[in-house]
Amino acid sequence: MNNLYKIIILSLLQFFILSCKGPESDNKKFFQSIDNFDMKIYSSKGEKLFSINSPYSYYEKKSNIFNLDKTTILLYKDNQTEYIINADKSKLSNNKKLLNLKGNVLVKRIGEQTEKLYANSFRWNISNSEYMLIGNVKFENKLITLSSNKAILNKLTNIIEFFNPVEYIMKDNSKEIYEIKSENAFYNINTKSVSFKSKDERVRSKIYF
């Protein structure tokens, strides 16, 4: 009987050990943790295009997806940093061609300390120069605040298109003017101007600062 008890106990212990080690082995098989993720992309001429950095991330081998915490993206122009983008987390998928950021997205342009662009999420197909922002999108500087639920930033033209309805606040020394527009708004970062266009593409109004 004693020998039988020993065999049963040993069998249970082996089963328990295998049960504990099984999921951990599976995790290592399908997931790979990465500290200090740092990816830099260059053009065919050797110019820096952008970089993605995260202090902690993990790679899903089966789906070929990188999950990144506290993501920082640098966009370059002529090998100099032009934009900095921060978010709580992000997902890099489709063979590193599609980037989705979520949580407290903040876009800042270097040299423009007062200009900030906020959103809940940010979507970027790395093969093009347009960035889609969705959810509580807000652009603000010292003179104007523009808000909508969706916007697209075009890095080549430096124009942000806000999709209607668009709320805007013009700031004056003595007062603030608040309005809601049914047209799309286009903010030109280079000329510091905003224009409103209707569906027939006619410019209804244009404001310079």
Side-chain angles (χ1 to χ4, degrees):
M1 291 292 290
N2 289 337
N3 289 335
L4 180 61
Y5 284 138
K6 286 180 181 178
I7 292 171
I8 293 172
I9 291 170
L10 286 172
S11 298
L12 289 172
L13 283 171
Q14 286 177 346
F15 176 77
F16 178 75
I17 290 169
L18 289 172
S19 298
C20 291
K21 286 187 175 181
E24 185 179 348
S25 301
D26 289 342
N27 285 338
K28 288 182 179 179
K29 192 181 296 183
F30 297 109
F31 299 93
Q32 178 184 353
S33 62
I34 305 170
D35 291 331
N36 297 318
F37 177 91
D38 190 14
M39 184 178 82
K40 292 181 173 66
I41 301 298
Y42 296 82
S43 70
S44 58
K45 297 180 181 179
E47 298 176 330
K48 286 190 287 187
L49 297 176
F50 65 89
S51 67
I52 304 173
N53 181 268
S54 169
Y56 173 76
S57 62
Y58 67 91
Y59 173 58
E60 298 179 34
K61 298 179 182 179
K62 189 174 181 179
S63 55
N64 192 24
I65 292 175
F66 290 88
N67 296 276
L68 315 174
D69 282 345
K70 302 297 180 186
T71 309
T72 299
I73 301 171
L74 302 180
L75 304 177
Y76 298 95
K77 183 179 180 181
D78 299 329
N79 282 321
Q80 300 295 319
T81 304
E82 185 178 21
Y83 287 95
I84 299 176
I85 305 168
N86 293 299
D88 289 343
K89 58 183 179 180
S90 66
K91 193 180 292 285
L92 185 61
S93 59
N94 193 22
N95 199 24
K96 298 182 182 179
K97 293 180 181 178
L98 184 63
L99 182 65
N100 285 284
L101 287 78
K102 286 189 176 181
N104 297 309
V105 177
L106 172 60
V107 182
K108 293 187 294 185
R109 191 183 185 206
I110 297 298
E112 298 289 346
Q113 297 299 323
T114 63
E115 291 190 348
K116 295 178 181 179
L117 182 60
Y118 305 89
N120 291 344
S121 63
F122 176 104
R123 183 181 176 90
W124 178 28
N125 183 334
I126 290 175
S127 62
N128 64 46
S129 58
E130 288 189 342
Y131 317 113
M132 182 178 291
L133 299 101
I134 299 174
N136 295 315
V137 182
K138 182 174 75 171
F139 170 83
E140 63 178 2
N141 60 21
K142 293 186 297 184
L143 300 173
I144 192 170
T145 298
L146 292 160
S147 302
S148 72
N149 196 51
K150 178 184 173 183
I152 292 178
L153 167 62
N154 188 313
K155 184 174 178 291
L156 293 181
T157 61
N158 275 333
I159 291 177
I160 310 170
E161 179 180 3
F162 296 85
F163 290 83
N164 71 79
V166 179
E167 299 178 7
Y168 80 92
I169 300 173
M170 290 181 57
K171 304 170 187 177
D172 200 341
N173 293 330
S174 57
K175 61 180 179 179
E176 292 185 347
I177 302 172
Y178 171 81
E179 282 195 38
I180 297 177
K181 289 281 190 177
S182 59
E183 301 98 345
N184 288 7
F186 297 80
Y187 182 80
N188 190 314
I189 296 172
N190 295 331
T191 61
K192 312 295 183 190
S193 63
V194 61
S195 58
F196 297 92
K197 289 183 181 180
S198 59
K199 290 182 180 179
D200 58 9
E201 294 299 314
R202 288 185 297 174
V203 178
R204 300 284 186 175
S205 57
K206 182 174 266 188
I207 305 168
Y208 291 91
F209 303 102

